[in-house]
Amino acid sequence: MVKVKKLIGETAIYGTTTILGRLLNYLLVPFHTYIFLEPSAYGVVGDLYAWVALLLVLLTYGMETTFFRFSTTEKDKNNVFRTTWTCILFTSTLFILLGLLFNHQIADFLKYPTHPEYIRWFIIIVGLDAICTIPFARLRAENRPFVFAGIKITNIFINVFFNVFFLWFCPLMISKGWGTSFFSAIYHQNIGVGYIFIANLIASICQFILLLFASGKFRLHIDKPLLKRMLKYAFPLLILGLAGIINEVIDRFMVKTFSADNMEDALHNLGVYSACFKIAVIMNLFIQAFRYSAEPFFFSQYKEKDAKEGYAVVMTYFVITCTVIFLGTMMYIDFIKYFVSAKYHEGLSVVPILLLAYMLLGICFNLSIWYKLTDQTTIGAYITIGGAVITLIVNFILVPKIGYIGAAWGHLITYTAMTIASYILGQKYYPINYNLQKIGFYILLSLILFSISYFLIPFENFGEHQLVAKTIINTFILLIYMSIIVIKERKNIKAIL
């Protein structure tokens, strides 16, 4: 429990950063959806950011996890960092140069032939973010969460500031006739959603500069024998990462391609789906914060005698937290839904499906520690590749029939299959005695309570008082669940506190 307490403390620090940062970005969702009232405009944002996620996996090619792994086994940790970062710097710079050279061809391929500038901006954003990955990883490995947090928060604030500046402040000044010549020179209405990308570009450049100052001098050096071993370890992680990102973002491409007969309607569907997807990010806020601190923790505890016991305890409380987030979100969805404008509410039915899918993805991350610790990354890649195949099949079948709802079900089905496969194989190669009875109890109970509220209680009978009645009853349901957790887990909760 002492080690778990340390993990919780670091998760709280990373979590404060992640949650604050993601919350600010999350608040951009209503800002964007209330500015761009037509979902087709927001569909462009969802489409291009899906490509960002895919390209970041390609450009980091598993070297982040590889860096953590070799930092724990090699005596010269600086050599590990220099080799990793120099390699990423070279490949990312090459990517930026080639992307800028062929930006028109890429714009044609993505069906944005009139906006090649979008591609140029995103090429630089992705390249800089990839270059920053390893310095950020070193901050985590060196237990410098406050520096990590400071840079991340600064990046988010800059991004939010310029979003508000370009999309609200500049049009307001022009409409009022204040400083018209200045603001008209930097703001052009026809750029539209492009200002979201410009704000991100400015924030990425500032983050890169801050990270250089915080990390001190970077010495470019590649230890060829070390790099060869690292790439051998990283290659299955690259395949795993690609398959994993396909699981996460292929639904956007599928919705854009198969949900409608024309591009305008397809982008409308993608905009609705992307906005409602962001509501489910509430679950991912916690998972992302957990991942930042958990991966170094898992590797550092590997040689301890009670490591497996610690991993099992972490899994249990991870699941409990996820079920609280799931239930809390769905009990107050009638308020949370207003984070996006009313034109996007048609897609709210995907939210509970995506919340459960994210929870399973987090469980899968916990389970994945067995193949990372035992260097069985190839098997881990097979699991994720299998998940990608399932994702493609389910999306091909469901998206043309039921649109973005089919895409949401694709996530849930895929992560369920991956979780089962990872658990079975993990028990074979690195058996951990997870408390399945307790984990299953909390998941099942949260689903039962959600179903009671969602399907069984006739809130429509309350007429004009429906929202009040629903809020009171759902709050009571959530309090019942929280009370059960406190009663059953009081000893460990007390130990942690």
Side-chain angles (χ1 to χ4, degrees), residues 3 7 9 12 54 114 118 148 158 263 271 279 308 333 364 375 385 410 433 452 483:
K3 294 170 184 174
L7 174 61
L54 177 63
T114 58
Y118 291 176
F148 178 98
I158 292 172
M263 184 55 63
I279 295 177
K308 291 185 178 182
I333 192 65
C364 223
D375 293 344
I385 290 171
N433 187 25
I452 290 172
S483 299

Side-chain angles (χ1 to χ4, degrees), residues 228-271:
K228 185 176 179 180
R229 289 188 289 121
M230 293 177 76
L231 291 175
K232 183 179 179 180
Y233 179 87
F235 182 72
L237 292 176
L238 169 61
I239 304 302
L240 188 152
L242 283 174
I245 206 64
I246 287 174
N247 290 336
E248 290 189 38
V249 303
I250 196 65
D251 56 334
R252 275 57 148 217
F253 306 141
M254 291 291 190
V255 170
K256 179 184 174 184
T257 305
F258 296 114
S259 68
D261 295 328
N262 60 78
M263 184 55 63
E264 184 68 21
D265 290 342
L267 286 175
H268 171 91
N269 293 337
L270 180 57

Side-chain angles (χ1 to χ4, degrees), residues 212-231:
L212 288 179
F213 278 109
S215 301
K217 293 182 179 180
F218 289 109
R219 177 186 167 190
L220 300 179
H221 171 74
I222 290 182
D223 183 330
K224 292 182 179 179
L226 175 62
L227 179 61
K228 185 176 179 180
R229 289 188 289 121
M230 293 177 76
L231 291 175

Side-chain angles (χ1 to χ4, degrees), residues 42-86:
Y42 195 68
V44 176
V45 178
D47 181 33
L48 291 179
Y49 274 107
W51 280 105
V52 168
L54 177 63
L55 290 171
L56 274 175
V57 172
L58 278 170
L59 289 177
T60 53
Y61 42 91
M63 293 299 277
E64 183 180 17
T65 299
T66 302
F67 168 76
F68 283 122
R69 176 61 172 159
F70 280 77
S71 291
T72 60
T73 57
E74 297 291 316
K75 293 182 179 179
D76 191 348
K77 291 179 173 55
N78 287 328
N79 187 42
V80 174
F81 170 75
R82 286 193 295 265
T83 299
T84 310
W85 189 72
T86 303

Side-chain angles (χ1 to χ4, degrees), residues 1-198:
M1 295 308 299
V2 171
K3 294 170 184 174
V4 172
K5 181 177 179 178
K6 180 177 182 293
L7 174 61
I8 291 172
E10 292 186 1
T11 300
I13 298 172
Y14 289 116
T16 300
T17 310
T18 305
I19 291 173
L20 177 59
R22 291 293 181 99
L23 181 61
L24 290 172
N25 272 331
Y26 184 63
L27 292 176
L28 286 176
V29 175
F31 179 68
H32 291 154
T33 59
Y34 281 96
I35 286 179
F36 303 109
L37 293 177
E38 289 303 319
S40 57
Y42 195 68
V44 176
V45 178
D47 181 33
L48 291 179
Y49 274 107
W51 280 105
V52 168
L54 177 63
L55 290 171
L56 274 175
V57 172
L58 278 170
L59 289 177
T60 53
Y61 42 91
M63 293 299 277
E64 183 180 17
T65 299
T66 302
F67 168 76
F68 283 122
R69 176 61 172 159
F70 280 77
S71 291
T72 60
T73 57
E74 297 291 316
K75 293 182 179 179
D76 191 348
K77 291 179 173 55
N78 287 328
N79 187 42
V80 174
F81 170 75
R82 286 193 295 265
T83 299
T84 310
W85 189 72
T86 303
C87 189
I88 293 288
L89 178 64
F90 172 76
T91 53
S92 298
T93 303
L94 182 62
F95 166 80
I96 292 174
L97 294 175
L98 291 174
L100 293 177
L101 182 63
F102 296 104
N103 69 93
H104 287 279
Q105 292 86 340
I106 297 171
D108 291 339
F109 172 74
L110 296 180
K111 300 181 180 179
Y112 302 113
T114 58
H115 292 288
E117 70 277 9
Y118 291 176
I119 307 305
R120 291 193 290 271
W121 298 332
F122 268 100
I123 290 295
I124 300 173
I125 290 169
V126 174
L128 288 177
D129 286 354
I131 291 170
C132 290
T133 302
I134 302 304
F136 271 129
R138 184 166 76 163
L139 291 177
R140 290 161 58 195
E142 293 176 348
N143 292 318
R144 298 171 63 190
F146 292 105
V147 178
F148 178 98
I151 296 174
K152 286 286 185 180
I153 289 175
T154 302
N155 171 272
I156 297 296
F157 271 112
I158 292 172
N159 186 34
V160 172
F161 171 81
F162 281 104
N163 266 274
V164 175
F165 177 76
F166 285 122
L167 295 176
W168 176 75
F169 187 73
C170 287
L172 177 65
M173 292 296 102
I174 293 172
S175 67
K176 297 289 186 181
W178 299 337
T180 304
S181 59
F182 171 75
F183 288 107
S184 295
I186 61 175
Y187 175 80
H188 304 280
Q189 188 176 2
N190 62 327
I191 293 179
V193 295
Y195 282 114
I196 298 175
F197 314 144
I198 292 173

